[in-house]
Amino acid sequence: MKGIQIRKEFFDFFEKRKHKIYPSSSLIPENDPSLLFTSAGMVPFKDMFLGKTKPEFLKVASLQRCFRTSDIEKVGYTNRHHTFFEMFGNFSFGNYFKEEAISWAWEFLTRKMGLEETNLYASVYKEDNESYSIWRKFLPEERIVRLGKDSNFWQMAETGPCGPCSEILIDRGKEYGCGKSDCAPGCDCDRYLEIWNLVFTQFEKNKDGILKPLPKKNIDTGMGLERLSAVVQNVPTVFESDVLKPIMDEACKLIGVSYNKNKRNDVSLRIIVDHIRGIVFLINDGILPSNEERGYVLRRILRRAAKEGKLLGAKQSFLYKLTDKVVEVMGSFYPVLVSKRDYIREICKMEEERFKETLDVGYEMINSLIVDLKKKGITTIPGKEVFKLHDTYGFPLDLTKEIAREKEFDIDEKEFKSQMQKQQKIASKSWKGSDKEEKKLYSKIYEKAEETVFRGYSFNKLLAKINMIVDQNNKIIDEIQKGDIVQIVLSETPFYGESGGQVGDRGKILKEIKAENAKEIVAEIEVLDTTKLLGKLIVHKSKVLRGKFKKGDTIDAFINPERRKAIMRSHTATHLLQAALRQIVGKHVKQSGSLVDCDRLRFDFTHFSALSPEQIKKTEELVNKTIRRNLAVLTSEITMGEAKQMQAMAHFGEKYGEKVRVVMISAEGLDAPEDAVSIELCAGTHCHAIGELGLFKIINETSIAAGVRRIEALTGAAAYQFIREKEENLLSIVNILKVPSDMLNVQVEKIVKRNEHLKKELSRMKGEIFNFKALDLIKNKVKKISGINVLSYKMEAEDSKELRNYGDKLKHELKKGIIVLGSIIDDKPFLICVVTDSEVKKGLHAGKIIKKLTTIVDGAGVGKADLAQGGGKNKEKLEEALKQVEIIIKEIVKK
């Protein structure tokens, strides 16, 4: 039975038993910052198990894609461990319990999957007599094992819902065992393989450790598709089932090796095959390689897989090609992979090739270091060197460990950790002033403050009370006067607090008294900025312009309406821009950050390459075409479930409550989401109709990280002013060149061509002059150092290419020796080192020489044995570096 059929059988089985079949959720847990990844089938239902949300259905079944790093060190070294896997699960929220869960699991495995009853075992929690009694209906006593809390009692946290669990295991035979006399269910070898875990959530654990029965008992089960497929198909390992074998075969083909021929090669292949699925699905779910959190995990598994490929002899990047096979194998069940195939491939390729450069440098450095240490009889790599590889060159510690182990070397981890701690202490000095630390401090100050009611969707001004005043020393005070700069919390406010990329409002807070015929302003505050805090407060950074204010005062709060309108235009424009990009560039485009201000907007989005001029033009045209339709901008507060049905876009990393605000741009109204231009979850302020934007202009498109692009744009008057200035600049050029505006392109093209011709002519003449100079330099400037011809010279060069050309000519004339040239290029020192073949054979290395020289000019350099280059920041030390060439070469020759 193939994996695709196993999926169908599971869904059919539980659908007949009145379960709602849920599609797989993302690997990024929705609305749960406590979890890095979706690591089990129950994660999407966590709030239902905790009683935070009411389940829509009482019986549910799913096949959830999961990702875990807890077993990453075991992956490849065993036949059954994964980082990425698919987990079957059936769940009950207060409906059925142990009797049904156990009997259905037994029926599915024996009747539908055809597993031999005599090979099956069950483990139960040692105190769970109820489960034991149910299992006795299916199994003899000797095949039911009572185990302790570590393996058979589940709890999500120290307190809260918990309960016993029962595992179903299969005896795969002695040939899979460890050979120990006490090998039995619970042993960590491959003989007694766990297939299905049934969790019976029946208790609430309080802080004293007391278990109280839950009024409604729940069922949470989990079974890996990969393990079940291997057992059903009777293959030795999960990697040989049809779920993974096509990927394994493709990996072998791309690298040029075979599986099951060499134990160490098999470890590498299993790591690659496991990790490539994780790579594909993590990228698919919006994660990009980075040095933080989820992005770091993606980077780590991608680099680990790439490193294993190198150990197998892969000369070229191969992982990005392997992603195609994953999409081919899994695309029928996850169609979204097919639509994102190119995007996944490109992101993987960019990161793989970047790491290939790191690997090449790192391997060269480690191997060179190990050779030097061996000569000295040392078999431990110093921690300082390991830290240098990690910190300066980005070479992961675990890769250094594995290479060291392969070469029968140890590493000084104690010294490495010491170096890391020193670095962390330096970093913490600046971190103490970071937003994170500031928010932690604010939490203590503001935690007792009453919630601010935001009225800014409907009002630009309103009456409110001052609930709290905090001074610049973060002390709560009761009264303020002219000149004071403070943070103010109001009972309600029209001011939008900075959040979701939108800047905070500015405006005034006034205190008025009744005069005879009108109100008189007796005190005035300028609101400089507004921020959202702790999810419930809006804090107004304020300066008292005149008069006095006290806690409890009734005041008038006014936002700056023109500034707010400009911000609204920018924010609505980001929604139109995202919709346009998804139409022009591709459905893989998702927002990954934004800044919405009164004079500009910035939109960060996922994409693997620079937009072409044509794509930018089409995107801009589409946004402006939509603006001219003057569609309504509609908002509604609905449940998260309703928002999902409308296919509203959520923003990556944002936390949402059960009730969410939907912003829809549509001509047909909220009841026709299928006809909407854009539907997003958004708490920001927006125009009432998109015609208010007036004009939209993209002014810049750049890369900000691997797989993330940034567009900067203007709307309304700012966009018009930008275009006006461009026109004035063009008119100025037209006047300077004295040509009609429609002939400007032709004239500029002529000037550029003429300039290129003159440059070539100048370069040719310089080359001819240098040919004479080269002979002179070799005759008069070459020194004999330790028996080696050495030329060290400072000269003028327009760019690094010109300096390298000079180096090549001198090498041709010198025949044997070392040439070091230095020049000031773009106001910075630049050096090249050329070593002839005869000297390379003697062990001299241009890269090592240039590294020493560039440290003198406060820089760095890289290169091969025959050619290397580098630059620095300190041009004043260039001549000193060139003088040091003689000393450096003497030292190298002496060694």
Side-chain angles (χ1 to χ4, degrees):
M1 190 184 291
K2 302 292 183 185
I4 196 76
Q5 183 63 26
I6 294 172
R7 287 185 176 104
K8 186 179 184 304
E9 289 288 346
F10 182 86
F11 290 143
D12 288 349
F13 182 87
F14 282 99
E15 203 163 24
K16 285 175 184 174
R17 286 152 185 80
K18 309 299 182 188
H19 286 64
K20 171 68 178 175
I21 306 301
Y22 261 67
S24 174
S25 295
S26 167
L27 289 177
I28 304 166
E30 189 177 282
N31 216 19
D32 189 349
S34 68
L35 294 172
L36 204 59
F37 297 108
T38 300
S39 55
M42 60 76 62
V43 169
F45 311 110
K46 182 179 168 184
D47 284 351
M48 297 175 201
F49 282 117
L50 293 172
K52 290 182 179 179
T53 59
K54 188 178 177 182
E56 193 177 352
F57 302 94
L58 296 180
K59 297 193 287 186
V60 171
S62 68
L63 178 59
Q64 175 62 46
R65 56 187 184 268
C66 301
F67 189 87
R68 292 178 185 172
T69 55
S70 53
D71 292 324
I72 195 167
E73 299 304 330
K74 294 178 182 177
V75 171
Y77 293 91
T78 73
N79 292 329
R80 64 187 191 277
H81 285 100
H82 297 285
T83 54
F84 175 88
F85 57 97
E86 294 178 89
M87 183 182 281
F88 286 117
N90 57 292
F91 309 91
S92 167
F93 308 108
N95 187 275
Y96 62 85
F97 200 48
K98 293 179 183 178
E99 182 76 45
E100 294 89 341
I102 290 172
S103 61
W104 287 342
W106 178 261
E107 184 183 350
F108 180 77
L109 291 177
T110 57
R111 305 279 174 83
K112 297 297 179 182
M113 296 294 102
L115 300 188
E116 288 287 341
E117 294 184 13
T118 53
N119 291 335
L120 294 175
Y121 286 72
S123 70
V124 297
Y125 178 51
K126 61 184 179 181
E127 296 174 16
D128 187 3
N129 294 322
E130 184 184 359
S131 293
Y132 186 89
S133 298
I134 297 167
W135 273 119
R136 281 292 288 114
K137 297 175 184 178
F138 306 105
L139 290 168
E141 284 185 23
E142 63 269 20
R143 284 196 276 131
I144 307 171
V145 185
R146 290 182 185 266
L147 296 172
K149 268 190 174 182
D150 288 348
S151 61
N152 280 68
F153 195 90
W154 175 89
Q155 58 187 63
M156 193 179 291
E158 289 301 310
T159 59
C162 59
C165 58
S166 177
E167 293 180 348
I168 303 172
L169 308 100
I170 187 166
D171 181 0
R172 303 213 70 196
K174 287 182 181 179
E175 63 271 27
Y176 290 93
C178 55
K180 294 176 184 175
S181 58
D182 60 349
C183 183
C187 182
D188 197 38
C189 68
D190 288 337
R191 178 173 178 178
Y192 297 98
L193 187 68
E194 178 202 330
I195 305 174
W196 207 338
N197 189 16
L198 316 175
V199 179
F200 312 121
T201 313
Q202 64 187 95
F203 299 113
E204 174 87 25
K205 185 180 179 184
N206 66 21
K207 60 183 179 181
D208 299 318
I210 297 168
L211 300 177
K212 291 184 179 179
L214 287 168
K216 287 188 176 181
K217 297 173 175 61
N218 302 322
I219 289 291
D220 159 23
T221 83
M223 171 170 59
L225 168 65
E226 293 78 8
R227 286 191 186 186
L228 182 61
S229 298
V231 169
V232 169
Q233 293 166 19
N234 196 28
V235 292
T237 75
V238 293
F239 296 95
E240 289 160 87
S241 76
D242 78 304
V243 175
L244 288 166
K245 191 173 185 298
I247 303 169
M248 175 66 78
D249 291 343
E250 184 69 9
C252 291
K253 180 181 167 185
L254 288 170
I255 299 166
V257 292
S258 298
Y259 186 59
N260 274 337
K261 293 288 174 70
N262 175 291
K263 283 188 177 180
R264 183 60 191 85
N265 285 0
D266 288 352
V267 169
S268 294
L269 284 165
R270 287 194 288 262
I271 288 171
I272 290 165
V273 171
D274 170 82
H275 286 8
I276 193 64
R277 295 201 309 163
I279 290 161
V280 166
F281 277 91
L282 288 171
I283 295 172
N284 172 72
D285 286 343
I287 298 167
L288 295 168
S290 72
N291 290 326
E292 294 178 355
E293 297 183 336
R294 297 181 181 107
Y296 172 73
V297 176
L298 171 58
R299 174 163 281 170
R300 184 184 175 196
I301 64 166
L302 197 153
R303 292 186 168 197
R304 190 169 187 242
K307 186 269 303 182
E308 293 298 333
K310 191 168 180 75
L311 290 177
L312 290 169
K315 303 296 181 190
Q316 303 296 327
S317 300
F318 68 95
L319 287 174
Y320 76 95
K321 296 175 184 175
L322 192 54
T323 63
D324 289 340
K325 180 56 73 172
V326 177
V327 173
E328 181 188 315
V329 171
M330 306 190 77
S332 59
F333 194 73
Y334 298 99
V336 68
L337 293 180
V338 179
S339 64
K340 289 188 176 180
R341 182 199 302 266
D342 293 342
Y343 174 71
I344 292 165
R345 197 178 203 265
E346 286 302 314
I347 294 297
C348 183
K349 184 179 182 182
M350 286 164 64
E351 182 65 19
E352 188 178 8
E353 304 221 325
R354 179 179 291 183
F355 184 56
K356 188 175 180 295
E357 294 171 14
T358 301
L359 270 182
D360 290 344
V361 172
Y363 267 92
E364 190 178 325
M365 290 181 73
I366 291 173
N367 288 327
S368 175
L369 184 63
I370 286 171
V371 168
D372 289 344
L373 291 171
K374 268 185 179 175
K375 286 177 183 176
K376 297 172 185 175
I378 300 168
T379 56
T380 300
I381 302 174
K384 281 185 180 179
E385 296 295 337
V386 177
F387 176 76
K388 184 180 174 184
L389 278 165
H390 171 81
D391 189 55
T392 308
Y393 298 98
F395 203 80
L397 172 64
D398 56 339
L399 297 194
T400 305
K401 278 184 184 178
E402 290 190 34
I403 294 164
R405 187 167 64 240
E406 286 156 13
K407 301 282 186 181
E408 297 182 347
F409 263 67
D410 295 318
I411 67 168
D412 188 343
E413 276 199 72
K414 189 176 178 182
E415 188 183 18
F416 172 80
K417 286 174 182 174
S418 172
Q419 293 288 324
M420 284 292 286
Q421 284 166 0
K422 283 180 188 176
Q423 185 204 47
Q424 285 160 2
K425 281 178 184 176
I426 294 166
S428 70
K429 288 179 183 177
S430 58
W431 178 82
K432 283 176 182 175
S434 71
D435 289 346
K436 201 171 184 180
E437 187 72 6
E438 193 174 332
K439 283 177 182 174
K440 194 175 175 183
L441 174 64
Y442 278 2
S443 295
K444 290 180 181 178
I445 299 165
Y446 292 101
E447 61 188 353
K448 292 181 181 177
E450 291 179 31
E451 182 175 353
T452 310
V453 180
F454 176 61
R455 304 283 191 199
Y457 296 134
S458 306
F459 302 101
N460 287 343
K461 59 181 180 178
L462 51 75
L463 278 174
K465 280 189 176 180
I466 296 177
N467 279 351
M468 182 181 278
I469 305 169
V470 179
D471 69 12
Q472 288 180 289
N473 296 316
N474 293 312
K475 298 278 177 64
I476 297 171
I477 56 175
D478 292 328
E479 189 174 344
I480 49 176
Q481 59 188 358
K482 183 180 177 180
D484 288 343
I485 295 175
V486 293
Q487 308 271 12
I488 294 174
V489 179
L490 302 176
S491 58
E492 52 187 311
T493 183
F495 287 81
Y496 182 87
E498 181 178 347
S499 58
Q502 179 173 324
V503 297
D505 281 322
R506 296 176 189 169
K508 301 275 187 180
I509 293 174
L510 305 177
K511 187 161 73 170
E512 301 175 323
I513 59 169
K514 285 184 180 179
E516 286 184 14
N517 299 317
K519 289 181 179 179
E520 182 185 344
I521 298 169
V522 294
E524 181 181 358
I525 284 171
E526 182 182 1
V527 178
L528 306 169
D529 197 9
T530 322
T531 55
K532 195 170 184 181
L533 198 63
L534 306 179
K536 66 171 188 173
L537 300 177
I538 293 174
V539 179
H540 309 72
K541 184 179 180 182
S542 308
K543 181 178 182 180
V544 183
L545 300 181
R546 56 177 164 139
K548 294 181 179 180
F549 290 85
K550 290 181 181 178
K551 179 186 174 184
D553 279 350
T554 298
I555 55 86
D556 284 299
F558 299 81
I559 65 165
N560 179 330
E562 292 307 312
R563 184 173 181 273
R564 163 70 79 81
K565 284 178 186 175
I567 293 168
M568 288 160 66
R569 285 193 291 270
S570 289
H571 204 152
T572 303
T574 63
H575 287 221
L576 289 176
L577 175 58
Q578 176 160 232
L581 286 168
R582 285 172 64 80
Q583 191 171 325
I584 302 297
V585 179
K587 295 296 181 188
H588 63 272
V589 167
K590 280 188 180 178
Q591 179 176 335
S592 61
S594 68
L595 173 69
V596 178
D597 210 334
C598 58
D599 57 349
R600 65 195 172 105
L601 69 91
R602 191 177 73 207
F603 184 78
D604 301 339
F605 61 98
T606 54
H607 187 55
F608 44 81
S609 62
L611 299 192
S612 67
E614 186 64 19
Q615 284 176 317
I616 293 171
K617 180 186 171 186
K618 283 185 176 180
T619 301
E620 188 176 276
E621 282 177 350
L622 182 54
V623 172
N624 281 299
K625 184 181 177 182
T626 311
I627 289 169
R628 290 193 293 275
R629 291 174 66 191
N630 197 26
L631 302 174
V633 180
L634 308 166
T635 61
S636 178
E637 197 168 278
I638 57 177
T639 67
M640 182 58 104
E642 289 169 328
K644 284 181 180 176
Q645 285 179 350
M646 294 172 75
Q647 296 186 323
M649 289 195 71
H651 295 170
F652 184 79
E654 286 287 329
K655 191 177 186 336
Y656 299 101
E658 182 54 28
K659 284 276 187 179
V660 292
R661 185 169 181 262
V662 169
V663 176
M664 181 190 290
I665 299 170
S666 174
E668 301 300 325
L670 290 163
D671 295 331
E674 65 279 1
D675 297 320
V677 170
S678 166
I679 313 174
E680 293 192 29
L681 301 187
C682 182
T685 59
H686 288 272
C687 301
H688 299 295
I690 57 174
E692 294 169 32
L693 272 66
L695 182 64
F696 174 82
K697 180 65 187 168
I698 294 173
I699 60 170
N700 198 21
E701 192 271 344
T702 55
S703 168
I704 59 165
V708 182
R709 308 296 302 177
R710 171 173 289 171
I711 280 178
E712 292 172 272
L714 305 171
T715 63
Y720 171 77
Q721 186 58 34
F722 177 83
I723 292 169
R724 185 75 202 142
E725 286 173 5
K726 291 285 182 188
E727 277 189 349
E728 287 172 0
N729 287 337
L730 282 172
L731 286 170
S732 175
I733 295 167
V734 163
N735 290 332
I736 290 167
L737 296 178
K738 293 181 173 55
V739 293
S741 57
D742 59 348
M743 293 295 292
L744 184 60
N745 286 356
V746 176
Q747 186 65 18
V748 169
E749 197 175 321
K750 282 181 182 178
I751 292 168
V752 169
K753 283 182 179 177
R754 176 67 176 157
N755 194 35
E756 285 174 355
H757 173 72
L758 291 172
K759 273 187 175 180
K760 285 178 183 175
E761 190 63 20
L762 180 62
S763 179
R764 184 186 63 77
M765 291 172 69
K766 275 186 176 182
E768 287 179 4
I769 293 166
F770 186 75
N771 287 338
F772 292 107
K773 189 171 184 177
L775 296 170
D776 182 61
L777 287 173
I778 288 167
K779 185 178 178 182
N780 299 309
K781 298 292 182 180
V782 173
K783 292 182 180 179
K784 208 82 167 175
I785 298 165
S786 301
I788 298 165
N789 292 324
V790 177
L791 171 60
S792 173
Y793 190 71
K794 179 185 176 183
M795 61 191 308
E796 289 184 9
E798 291 243 350
D799 51 34
S800 58
K801 185 181 177 182
E802 189 174 308
L803 198 64
R804 286 195 300 272
N805 287 340
Y806 290 156
D808 286 341
K809 286 179 181 178
L810 287 166
K811 179 183 178 180
H812 178 73
E813 295 296 337
L814 186 61
K815 309 295 185 195
K816 293 181 180 181
I818 297 170
I819 299 150
V820 177
L821 300 178
S823 184
I824 304 297
I825 298 170
D826 294 331
D827 209 36
K828 289 179 181 177
F830 191 83
L831 291 143
I832 67 157
C833 178
V834 180
V835 179
T836 61
D837 293 344
S838 58
E839 308 311 313
V840 169
K841 286 174 184 175
K842 293 178 184 176
L844 289 156
H845 196 289
K848 291 179 181 178
I849 296 168
I850 211 75
K851 277 177 189 174
K852 289 178 181 290
L853 291 173
T854 49
T855 55
I856 299 168
V857 293
D858 301 335
V862 290
K864 298 177 181 177
D866 62 334
L867 176 65
Q869 65 182 44
K873 300 171 188 173
N874 194 337
K875 64 180 181 181
E876 316 300 336
K877 291 190 174 181
L878 178 61
E879 290 188 17
E880 182 188 330
L882 291 168
K883 286 175 184 175
Q884 288 291 317
V885 171
E886 187 175 331
I887 297 165
I888 289 165
I889 290 172
K890 280 180 180 177
E891 285 176 358
I892 291 169
V893 171
K894 191 177 179 183
K895 282 182 182 179

